[in-house]
Amino acid sequence: MSKAAKAKDVQAEMAQLALQTRSAQELMTRMVELLHQRMLKYNWVGFYMLERPAGQPPMLVLGAFQGAMTPHTRIPLHQGICGAAASTGKTVVVDDVSQDPRYLACSLETKSEIVVPVFANGKVVGELDIDSHFPAAFKDEDRVLVEYCAGLVSTSLEKSSKAKA
Ligand code: SME
């Protein structure tokens, strides 16, 4: 099976997952498991959620993840590829992390990375971060898949914020 066909299959599995899970938290937990298990070059998969404590600078805080523990459990918005994606609200793809001065190392094996913001009601509330041990692992089909996953989480978060209102 081509990688593009595999990404399409996994996308359909994610749509099913969104129907089966009862909270955004459960969806994120199952989503990182499935992405890590099914996409062989996705060696670290995790969410960072944006916290805005009163009187303190906003912070990206590690949420559900699969892969080795990272030293970066809290990332300010002006640091890292994670900070760049959250502060601009745009997907960042880095083919060679050693060439990107923003990069915060999580594992010496990481060669490439994609970070996709998660929105709720038009605002960035977190992001989905994926690292690969392979250079330039994230192609167009990966970007489509990861943005689709982030979109499912956005929908789920918006649903729960409406339910609470
Ligand atoms: N590499 C990220 C930090 C998070 S770890 O990859 C899990 C960055 O540069 O922001």
Side-chain angles (χ1 to χ4, degrees), residues 9 12 29 36 45 53 70 74-75 85 95 115 127 132 139 152:
D9 271 13
T29 302
H36 188 249
V45 182
T70 168
R74 298 171 69 81
I75 303 175
D95 286 341
V115 188
E127 61 192 18
S132 179
K139 311 290 187 206
L152 290 175

Side-chain angles (χ1 to χ4, degrees), residues 51-67:
E51 289 187 4
R52 298 179 178 278
Q56 284 172 45
M59 196 65 78
L60 291 160
V61 179
L62 183 63
F65 75 96
Q66 284 285 306

Side-chain angles (χ1 to χ4, degrees), residues 44 46 48 60 62 68-72 75 79-84 97 102-107 110 113 115 127 129-131:
W44 189 95
Y48 283 92
L60 291 160
L62 183 63
M69 187 56 196
T70 168
H72 303 292
I75 303 175
Q79 280 183 18
I81 295 164
C82 286
V97 293
R102 299 170 299 183
Y103 177 64
L104 296 171
C106 163
S107 145
T110 298
E113 178 161 6
V115 188
E127 61 192 18
D129 176 18
I130 305 180
D131 292 352

